[in-house]
Amino acid sequence: MPHTLTLRDVAQLTHDTHRYVFGRPANFDFKPGQAAELAICRDGWRDASRPFTFTSLPEDDELEFVIKSYPSKDGVTDELTDIEPGTVFEMDGPFGAIEDKGPGVFLAAGVGITPFIAILRNRARAGTLKGCHLIFSNSCAKDIILRDEWDGMTDLTVDHVLDQEQVDGLHHGQVDGAFLRKHLSNVDRMFYICGPQAYVDAMRDALSEMGVDSDNIVTEDGW
């Protein structure tokens, strides 16, 4: 059933990514990792809904989404960069195939981190991050969403990988089978993948070649 949301706050996280905070409808629930369709209640945009992942937690009083803008596409995410608090949205959901099935390796590329934000925040709040490993691929250091939060999570192993920039303390190159074999000593655990479709396919293939059971790989369609 669709819900009406009012935007309460907008904050910039990176040069092209913002946090959007909304009031939460009564009796609305979701699971970490799930998403919803959002549409701006404005002429020309009501029928242009897009899926975005909840980055707040189920027990929070507000709903939060972390959204990357794509100005070259002249679409919803670009329109959101100038949106003002008080703007009304329609939300339909929740839905999604990514959910927490136990500690494991989280493979994210760019904005593909968003389904993992709530999952890892939820584990951090519960003190159950032990055994979780985030491998986060980006082009440059400025693109890393919530870097300080990841680096500050006790018990979370983090590897940042940049393919267009060399930065001290961060990996440079591509995440591929060779990288995974070098940095993962145990493949008998859960693996979560989110990013562009080519990235999802490549990670799934690499994990399969390493002997990871398909039942231990959690993905959603890439983009």
Side-chain angles (χ1 to χ4, degrees), residues 199-213:
Y199 172 84
V200 172
D201 292 342
M203 294 300 97
R204 185 191 290 111
D205 291 346
L207 293 174
S208 296
E209 291 175 2
M210 293 168 63
V212 177
D213 192 291

Side-chain angles (χ1 to χ4, degrees), residues 1-222:
M1 180 182 71
H3 297 271
T4 299
L5 306 181
T6 300
L7 183 64
R8 292 183 175 177
D9 186 56
V10 181
Q12 189 164 6
L13 297 180
T14 72
H15 64 102
D16 61 1
T17 307
H18 292 76
R19 173 192 289 118
Y20 299 85
V21 178
F22 296 85
R24 180 171 179 161
N27 302 316
F28 177 77
D29 198 16
F30 65 94
K31 295 179 181 179
Q34 288 189 310
E37 291 270 348
L38 288 181
I40 307 169
C41 294
R42 178 183 293 173
D43 289 346
W45 297 100
R46 288 182 174 84
D47 296 326
S49 64
R50 295 292 184 272
F52 300 110
T53 307
F54 298 104
T55 53
S56 49
L57 298 185
E59 63 268 26
D60 291 345
D61 294 332
E62 299 176 311
L63 296 180
E64 179 194 89
F65 298 85
V66 171
I67 300 174
K68 180 178 178 177
S69 61
Y70 297 88
S72 62
K73 296 184 178 181
D74 194 28
V76 172
T77 61
D78 187 38
E79 183 74 6
L80 288 175
T81 60
D82 296 321
I83 213 79
E84 297 285 343
T87 302
V88 177
F89 287 67
E90 184 173 87
M91 178 185 70
D92 196 6
F95 56 82
I98 293 181
E99 61 178 290
D100 190 347
K101 295 186 177 182
V105 179
F106 295 81
L107 296 163
V111 75
I113 190 67
T114 53
F116 305 149
I117 295 175
I119 291 174
L120 294 174
R121 282 177 171 173
N122 194 48
R123 284 188 164 271
R125 186 175 292 183
T128 58
L129 273 174
K130 190 173 182 179
C132 292
H133 184 173
L134 173 63
I135 300 177
F136 193 6
S137 299
N138 287 279
S139 295
C140 302
K142 67 178 183 178
D143 301 316
I144 302 175
I145 298 170
L146 299 175
R147 179 181 175 182
D148 289 344
E149 185 169 351
W150 307 130
D151 294 347
M153 282 189 176
T154 302
D155 292 330
L156 177 66
T157 300
V158 181
D159 283 302
H160 294 294
V161 185
L162 308 178
D163 63 12
Q164 294 183 15
E165 184 179 33
Q166 294 191 14
V167 176
D168 288 346
L170 307 186
H171 302 284
H172 175 65
Q174 300 280 346
V175 176
D176 53 18
F179 183 96
L180 295 177
R181 286 190 293 273
K182 179 178 179 180
H183 295 277
L184 300 177
S185 58
N186 174 22
V187 296
D188 186 21
R189 48 182 164 168
M190 296 302 304
F191 287 83
Y192 304 83
I193 311 170
C194 192
Q197 190 62 55
Y199 172 84
V200 172
D201 292 342
M203 294 300 97
R204 185 191 290 111
D205 291 346
L207 293 174
S208 296
E209 291 175 2
M210 293 168 63
V212 177
D213 192 291
S214 61
D215 289 341
N216 286 355
I217 300 176
V218 178
T219 68
E220 199 148 26
D221 288 341

